[in-house]
């Protein structure tokens, strides 16, 4: 099976500016991978490094599996046991790994724009994938979320009513999801959260913004819950976790306001009992673990497109 022509840029830093055709091609390819159709030697002889300066479970492990399934040599850089501890910069680290022959870098960093900054200094033939930078972007999470929605609701996003709930202000997932939903033509994109956790930087352009979760849930086809990003949050943005849960937690009774076949998503890790109850997270409408499965397939599609395309 040949890789599709996806018009991806050299590095995948953001979903901003990606055209619908490119997204569709990646999602179709990822769907084939999800169904087990792939060449285990597609990335034979290519070295890929997961270069993470922030913690991760899902993204890092699924990129590792994705690269391994396509036959790449995979190394995982652990900042906590590396020369980062002696003060080595992210760029020096990357350049040293590049000197060892690594061609693909999957990079997570706490600073906005850090991965784009690194991409300006790499050799011809080296490619970077942004695995989450600060609050800015998490493009492969956006893609896996779109694949999950596509499987559940079909390829036509135009009639979907999608609600994004919670801490959009600190969420790179929300930014990538909103960019992807717009690019795929979703007409009714709703965003709900406390005013203190909604950004005023243009992220919510074109969205129906509300602070009333019960009203926002009416008739939606998909509810995308966000994690409260307490590690990026200044003090005082929410009164307490209990108050937040009362106003913005997704419970089984609240979910009844959505369409009967509505699906529930969450990028993980979940703050159980805060943004979502166990009953909903583990319930029949939850696609949370499907999202995780799709992460492997989407990351295979991205690595293939960048490293072989
Ligand atoms: N969704 C997500 O990025 O999870 P991790 O932080 O565990 O990678």
């Amino acid at each position: 099976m040949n890789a599709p022509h996806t018009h991806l840029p050299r590095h995948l830093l953001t979903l901003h500016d990606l055209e619908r055709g490119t997204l569709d091609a990646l999602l179709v390819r990822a769907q084939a991978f999800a169904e087990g159709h792939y060449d285990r030697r597609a990335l034979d002889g290519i070295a890929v490094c997961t270069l993470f300066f922030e913690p991760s479970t899902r993204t890092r492990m699924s990129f590792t599996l994705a690269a391994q399934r396509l036959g790449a040599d995979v190394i995982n850089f652990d900042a906590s046991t590396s020369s980062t501890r002696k003060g080595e910069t992210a760029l020096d680290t990357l350049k040293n790994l590049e000197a060892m022959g690594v061609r693909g870098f999957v990079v997570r960093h706490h600073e906005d724009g850090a991965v784009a900054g690194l991409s300006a200094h790499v050799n011809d033939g080296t490619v970077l994938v942004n695995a989450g930078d600060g609050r800015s972007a998490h493009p492969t999470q956006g893609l896996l979320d779109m694949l999950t929605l596509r499987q559940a609701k079909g390829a036509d996003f135009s009639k979907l009513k999608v609600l994004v709930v919670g801490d959009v202000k600190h969420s790179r997932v929300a930014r990538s999801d909103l960019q992807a939903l717009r690019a795929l033509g979703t007409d009714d994109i709703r965003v709900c959260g406390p005013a203190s956790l909604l950004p005023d930087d243009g992220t919510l352009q074109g969205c129906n913004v509300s602070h009333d979760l019960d009203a926002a849930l009416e008739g939606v086809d998909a509810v995308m819950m966000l994690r409260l990003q307490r590690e990026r949050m200044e003090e005082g943005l929410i009164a307490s976790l209990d108050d937040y849960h009362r106003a913005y937690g997704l419970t089984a009774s609240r979910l009844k306001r959505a369409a009967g076949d509505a699906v529930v998503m969450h990028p993980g890790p979940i703050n159980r009992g805060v943004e979502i109850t166990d009953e909903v997270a583990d319930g029949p409408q939850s696609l949370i673990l499907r999202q995780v499965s799709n992460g492997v397939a989407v990351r295979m599609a991205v690595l293939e497109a960048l490293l072989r395309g």
Side-chain angles (χ1 to χ4, degrees), residues 55-60 108 138 141 267-269:
S56 167
T57 297
R58 283 147 288 271
T59 311
R60 182 175 195 143
R108 172 170 287 189
H138 194 347
Q141 180 75 43

Side-chain angles (χ1 to χ4, degrees), residues 83 124 251 263 278 306 308:
S83 289
D124 290 348
T251 61
V263 295
D278 289 346
L306 293 181
R308 284 198 66 205

Side-chain angles (χ1 to χ4, degrees), residues 46-50 63-69 71-76:
I46 295 177
V48 173
C49 177
T50 62
F63 262 115
T64 301
L65 269 177
Q68 287 173 343
R69 283 189 183 165
D73 299 323
V74 187
I75 55 174
N76 291 304

Side-chain angles (χ1 to χ4, degrees), residues 78-253:
D78 178 358
S80 69
T81 56
S82 74
S83 289
T84 303
R85 298 285 300 273
K86 303 175 200 161
E88 189 166 36
T89 65
L91 179 57
D92 279 339
T93 305
L94 185 150
K95 294 302 291 182
N96 277 266
L97 291 162
E98 192 180 44
M100 295 176 203
V102 174
R103 269 198 57 213
F105 289 92
V106 178
V107 187
R108 172 170 287 189
H109 200 282
H110 54 275
E111 282 176 22
D112 294 310
V115 188
L118 291 171
S119 73
H121 300 281
V122 297
N123 297 336
D124 290 348
T126 298
V127 303
L128 267 60
V129 183
N130 183 358
D133 63 326
R135 309 171 182 195
S136 295
H138 194 347
T140 57
Q141 180 75 43
L143 289 169
L144 75 88
D145 287 344
M146 296 309 112
L147 180 62
T148 306
L149 270 178
R150 197 178 198 273
Q151 289 170 347
K153 299 291 173 188
D156 180 4
F157 279 58
S158 65
K159 298 288 183 293
L160 282 185
K161 299 180 177 68
V162 180
L163 171 62
V164 178
V165 182
D167 182 6
V168 181
K169 184 172 185 168
H170 302 99
S171 176
R172 54 197 177 205
V173 172
R175 286 179 175 80
S176 289
D177 279 341
L178 292 172
Q179 286 165 357
L181 286 168
R182 283 191 206 103
L184 292 172
T186 316
D187 272 346
D188 188 343
I189 306 176
R190 307 178 193 182
V191 172
C192 182
S196 60
L197 296 182
L198 298 184
D200 56 6
D201 57 3
T203 298
L204 305 183
Q205 196 177 6
C207 301
N208 299 307
V209 178
S210 153
H211 307 300
D212 178 345
L213 180 55
D214 290 325
L217 277 164
E218 286 299 335
V220 295
D221 302 299
V223 192
M224 304 177 84
M225 302 303 295
L226 299 173
R227 180 172 70 89
L228 268 187
Q229 308 252 319
R230 283 180 280 176
E231 72 277 23
R232 295 183 218 285
M233 204 180 276
E234 309 120 51
E235 287 295 312
L237 287 183
I238 56 169
S240 72
L241 295 182
D242 283 345
D243 284 344
Y244 182 83
H245 180 68
R246 266 191 293 279
Y248 295 105
L250 188 61
T251 61
S253 63

